[in-house]
Amino acid sequence: MFYRVDSDRRAAVSLIDLVQISTTDIGTYDVVVLPSFVPSIDTYVHILTKMARTSVNGVLHSFLTKRDTELAAPLIAVLEQCGQEVPQTLQDLNHTSNMLED
């Protein structure tokens, strides 16, 4: 789900299928919500990069589940590279992932 405030201060919400991400001007949106995590970290970074080209003030929210544990460590690395705080729940998910590997 993508959310933006138009120039006349009206909110615009769009639902965009993941296959249409590459053809969508994501940078025009203030908030992007990924209701289920993307298939890869590369796709996540692609979305993040497209948002940052226009605005450094945009917000990207992602939901992960225990099925996404293998993506926790790479996501933490991306957040740290961007200078973002890593949520405790994501750190916990990464810890769970490490325990499953041992």
Side-chain angles (χ1 to χ4, degrees), residues 41 44-45 48 72-84 86:
I41 289 297
Y44 180 85
V45 170
L48 195 61
L75 180 56
I76 288 171
V78 169
L79 292 174
E80 288 174 341
Q81 286 175 340
C82 294
Q84 298 295 310
V86 177

Side-chain angles (χ1 to χ4, degrees), residues 31-45:
V31 177
V32 173
V33 177
L34 302 173
S36 59
F37 201 71
V38 291
S40 72
I41 289 297
D42 290 339
T43 304
Y44 180 85
V45 170

Side-chain angles (χ1 to χ4, degrees), residues 1-3 26 29-38 44 47-48 51 57-64 75 79 84 87:
M1 177 175 14
F2 299 82
Y3 173 84
I26 298 171
Y29 293 91
D30 298 317
V31 177
V32 173
V33 177
L34 302 173
S36 59
F37 201 71
V38 291
Y44 180 85
I47 293 169
L48 195 61
M51 287 180 69
N57 297 320
V59 178
L60 175 58
H61 296 281
S62 307
F63 294 92
L64 285 90
L75 180 56
L79 292 174
Q84 298 295 310

Side-chain angles (χ1 to χ4, degrees), residues 64-65 68-77 80 86-102:
L64 285 90
T65 66
D68 301 311
T69 55
E70 71 280 356
L71 299 172
L75 180 56
I76 288 171
E80 288 174 341
V86 177
Q88 185 62 46
T89 53
L90 182 56
Q91 293 175 22
D92 294 345
L93 186 63
N94 184 46
H95 180 69
T96 300
S97 174
N98 291 336
M99 288 176 44
L100 293 175
E101 292 174 6
D102 292 339

Side-chain angles (χ1 to χ4, degrees), residues 3-60:
Y3 173 84
R4 87 174 145 230
V5 177
D6 291 333
S7 59
D8 60 359
R9 306 302 299 161
R10 290 183 308 159
V13 176
S14 305
L15 284 173
I16 299 171
D17 193 281
L18 192 57
V19 296
Q20 297 171 324
I21 287 287
S22 61
T23 60
T24 302
D25 187 7
I26 298 171
T28 63
Y29 293 91
D30 298 317
V31 177
V32 173
V33 177
L34 302 173
S36 59
F37 201 71
V38 291
S40 72
I41 289 297
D42 290 339
T43 304
Y44 180 85
V45 170
H46 175 75
I47 293 169
L48 195 61
T49 304
K50 286 184 77 172
M51 287 180 69
R53 286 187 186 140
T54 304
S55 170
V56 294
N57 297 320
V59 178
L60 175 58

